[in-house]
Amino acid sequence: MDTDVLIIGGGISGLATAWWLAQAGVQVEIWEKSMRPGGKIKSTRQDGYLTERAASMIMNFKPEVDELLEISGLNGEKQKRQLDSESRRYLLHQGQLKPLPMTIGGMLLTPLWSNRARLRLLAEAFIPRRTDSNETVASFIKRRLGAEFLDKAMDPFIAGTLASDPSQANAMSVLPRLKALENQYGSITAGVMVNKILRRRTARTTEIFSFDGGINTMVKKLVDCDGVKFRGCMDVTQIRACKQGWQVSANSLNGETSKTCRQIIVTTPAAASARLLRRTSTEISNILDSIEYAPLSVVHLGFDRQQVPHRLDSTGFLVPGQEKRNITGNLWMSSLFSNRAPQSKVLLTSYLGGARQARLSQLSDDRSIDCVLADLQSILNIRGLPEMARIDRHQQALPLYHGNYQQRMQNLDSELCKHKGLNLVANYRGGVSVRDRIACARQMANSIIHELQHSDNTAISLPPVLPAHITATGPACLKQ
């Protein structure tokens, strides 16, 4: 064997998996098509503003992330959000920004809802449970909490943070914790109350943070880990099973190269993975080809503080579809973290496109800025033009967990079991956030270590974080 594990793709999924494996002494190599690691993640300093090409922050409640930060030393570079951004969440309601409550009591008292909607929220505990793996987010939320809650709260969350469409998104895949509460307790309200009374929270209080140099700080730390060999400009051309395991060929700057490995992990987007695995398994390739992605433009605008009358005392705001705006949401990055903008300046990051407004992601730079600026001028009363503008475009920004997604992932697992040593780790399985990618990478590392130990009795071990009955499972990923 040339290496124990070969990972194709140097995004956060591949880097985190390699890091976990390296902690156990596994020989691991990453092949990435581009020159740099990180995939879509990239932090850019421009005119004194620090912008994020993809993930802007990490919202964590998982122990796997805690362990990675502690062992890697990233805790010392962590930057927590500023105190004045701790409590408020804004929602655009009838053209005005309104605070969105984060507690059950606050939900019932907020002026966002009509009296009929409040009564509907109170009735949630009496709605019969339904076990349907195909149920959409729209159907689930409307059934349990009412149409008004769907339109004003859940719709902007799904469209704004996941670039998805609630009427098509699979509830069990997108909202696994809420579905779990219904399945276990019969209702969301009952589940929240029982967990609160018994202090049996499934997750601790969510911590929101970034790093002093942006999210790319994590990428650099992971790729510089001892035991991880990163090779850029490696355009993989073929993957095939061989007697010893797997043989992978690629075009590099030095010509064609080939390596054999015991385990291979493919972390590239679904369509790219489908092409690479077409000769290995038509079934796996077809499932991957069925996964859709949403296009997105991330528009960063920098202003002088005096141009923005709003206090900007929050993380930002989300926009319900019924408001008929161009943007799906806006993050106040200079309010969230320090050093995101020069002194007396503000940085506002907006999102165009997504599953429901894909055409907006195709606008020219000037037109994209005009569309964002028109919304921000109306909502925040911004005066004048930005002094800094930057646009990051993603033709395949986020995978869409649409349709019968659970069944497709189960079929994928079944097919993978037929190809020993072939593994898939990517954001179309188990969640799109950095938090979820780290947790899924941890489980994949555990699974591969188990396989390596079983095959040659090598003494490899990882400090246990997950329950023993989970750590040695197959390729299925953790959910949010």
Side-chain angles (χ1 to χ4, degrees):
M1 290 295 101
D2 294 321
T3 187
D4 289 328
V5 180
L6 181 60
I7 298 176
I8 299 176
I12 188 63
S13 294
L15 292 174
T17 306
W19 186 89
W20 285 117
L21 289 169
Q23 303 312 300
V26 177
Q27 187 180 9
V28 58
E29 189 167 323
I30 303 173
W31 286 6
E32 164 59 38
K33 185 175 182 179
S34 68
M35 182 175 294
R36 65 169 191 87
K40 292 183 175 65
I41 293 177
K42 185 179 181 181
S43 307
T44 304
R45 181 72 69 175
Q46 176 180 333
D47 300 328
Y49 293 88
L50 180 61
T51 63
E52 300 285 4
R53 185 170 180 262
S56 297
M57 68 194 82
I58 298 175
M59 304 179 67
N60 181 47
F61 50 77
K62 292 193 172 182
E64 298 89 343
V65 178
D66 293 335
E67 187 187 17
L68 184 145
L69 295 176
E70 179 65 29
I71 297 174
S72 68
L74 278 167
N75 266 337
E77 301 182 58
K78 190 163 61 175
Q79 186 180 57
K80 295 185 178 181
R81 62 178 178 175
Q82 301 185 96
L83 293 178
D84 59 359
S85 301
E86 284 289 343
S87 57
R88 288 181 179 270
R89 308 285 193 283
Y90 282 112
L91 190 70
L92 189 65
H93 177 62
Q94 297 179 357
Q96 302 293 319
L97 293 184
K98 302 293 183 182
L100 179 64
M102 305 305 291
T103 64
I104 293 178
M107 284 287 184
L108 294 174
L109 296 175
T110 178
L112 285 172
W113 320 126
S114 64
N115 289 331
R116 181 176 181 179
R118 291 191 184 92
L119 292 173
R120 183 63 180 78
L121 288 173
L122 286 171
E124 193 275 334
F126 305 100
I127 302 298
R129 81 180 79 192
R130 180 189 299 174
T131 55
D132 180 5
S133 63
N134 294 329
E135 188 172 27
T136 66
V137 168
S139 173
F140 172 65
I141 295 300
K142 186 175 181 179
R143 176 173 60 82
R144 296 231 59 93
L145 298 166
E148 198 167 323
F149 188 87
L150 168 65
D151 293 339
K152 295 180 180 178
M154 191 55 68
D155 173 276
F157 170 75
I158 298 298
T161 63
L162 300 177
S164 190
D165 183 347
S167 66
Q168 299 184 61
N170 182 272
M172 192 171 292
S173 300
V174 174
L175 303 173
R177 290 193 290 169
L178 293 185
K179 285 290 289 184
L181 289 176
E182 180 190 38
N183 292 338
Q184 185 173 357
Y185 300 102
S187 83
I188 297 172
T189 307
V192 171
M193 295 302 294
V194 168
N195 281 324
K196 187 172 183 179
I197 292 172
L198 299 180
R199 295 182 179 179
R200 291 173 51 213
R201 285 184 154 186
T202 57
R204 58 123 193 262
T205 302
T206 300
E207 180 188 21
I208 299 179
F209 61 91
S210 181
F211 302 96
D212 292 334
I215 301 297
N216 206 60
T217 299
M218 171 176 279
V219 171
K220 292 179 180 178
K221 182 69 72 171
L222 295 178
V223 80
D224 290 340
C225 171
D226 290 340
V228 174
K229 183 177 181 181
F230 176 86
R231 297 186 64 183
C233 299
M234 298 291 289
D235 186 6
V236 176
T237 57
Q238 186 181 60
I239 298 173
R240 69 179 184 88
C242 60
K243 185 176 180 180
Q244 298 86 0
W246 293 88
Q247 185 178 59
V248 185
S249 301
N251 292 322
S252 69
L253 295 178
N254 298 320
E256 187 176 358
T257 186
S258 180
K259 276 202 173 185
T260 56
C261 57
R262 299 182 184 184
Q263 298 270 335
I264 184 170
I265 306 175
V266 183
T267 73
T268 50
S273 299
R275 289 193 297 270
L276 291 174
L277 298 174
R278 185 96 43 205
R279 293 183 178 179
T280 301
S281 170
T282 303
E283 291 78 9
I284 291 176
S285 185
N286 289 340
I287 294 172
L288 294 175
D289 271 333
S290 72
I291 298 174
E292 301 175 86
Y293 281 72
L296 204 64
S297 290
V298 187
V299 183
H300 314 278
L301 300 180
F303 297 91
D304 188 278
R305 186 66 182 90
Q306 294 183 350
Q307 292 179 262
V308 188
H310 196 280
R311 292 181 299 170
L312 301 180
D313 55 344
S314 170
T315 60
F317 63 89
L318 292 173
V319 182
Q322 62 185 10
E323 292 290 325
K324 305 298 182 183
R325 300 285 181 157
N326 298 311
I327 62 176
T328 58
N330 180 244
L331 282 176
W332 302 339
M333 294 304 300
S334 50
S335 295
L336 269 165
F337 303 109
S338 61
N339 301 322
R340 266 20 182 205
Q343 189 173 4
S344 302
K345 310 290 184 180
V346 296
L347 174 61
L348 309 179
T349 296
S350 304
Y351 300 88
L352 286 173
R356 294 192 303 197
Q357 299 189 88
R359 61 179 181 80
L360 293 180
S361 68
Q362 307 302 319
L363 297 175
S364 67
D365 286 1
D366 288 343
R367 185 65 183 131
S368 296
I369 293 171
D370 288 344
C371 284
V372 170
L373 196 57
D375 282 346
L376 295 184
Q377 287 173 336
S378 170
I379 298 167
L380 298 177
N381 298 316
I382 290 177
R383 299 184 291 265
L385 301 176
E387 66 171 35
M388 187 282 295
R390 178 182 176 84
I391 301 177
D392 292 308
R393 298 181 181 277
H394 304 284
Q395 289 304 311
Q396 291 186 319
L398 292 170
L400 298 173
Y401 291 29
H402 284 180
N404 189 2
Y405 209 81
Q406 289 285 310
Q407 186 60 54
R408 272 188 283 173
M409 292 301 101
Q410 290 173 16
N411 294 342
L412 188 60
D413 282 339
S414 297
E415 291 300 324
L416 284 171
C417 289
K418 302 175 184 177
H419 302 274
K420 184 178 180 180
L422 175 62
N423 308 276
L424 299 179
V425 182
N427 62 359
Y428 55 80
R429 307 183 75 202
V432 302
S433 69
V434 173
R435 173 197 68 234
D436 293 322
R437 302 322 317 139
I438 292 173
C440 286
R442 178 64 156 91
Q443 186 173 358
M444 177 55 67
N446 282 332
S447 177
I448 287 177
I449 289 167
H450 174 77
E451 290 295 325
L452 292 175
Q453 288 176 325
H454 183 73
S455 63
D456 61 6
N457 295 318
T458 304
I460 303 174
S461 63
L462 259 173
V465 166
L466 304 178
H469 67 283
I470 296 179
T471 56
T473 60
C477 287
L478 295 175
K479 304 306 179 192
Q480 295 182 47

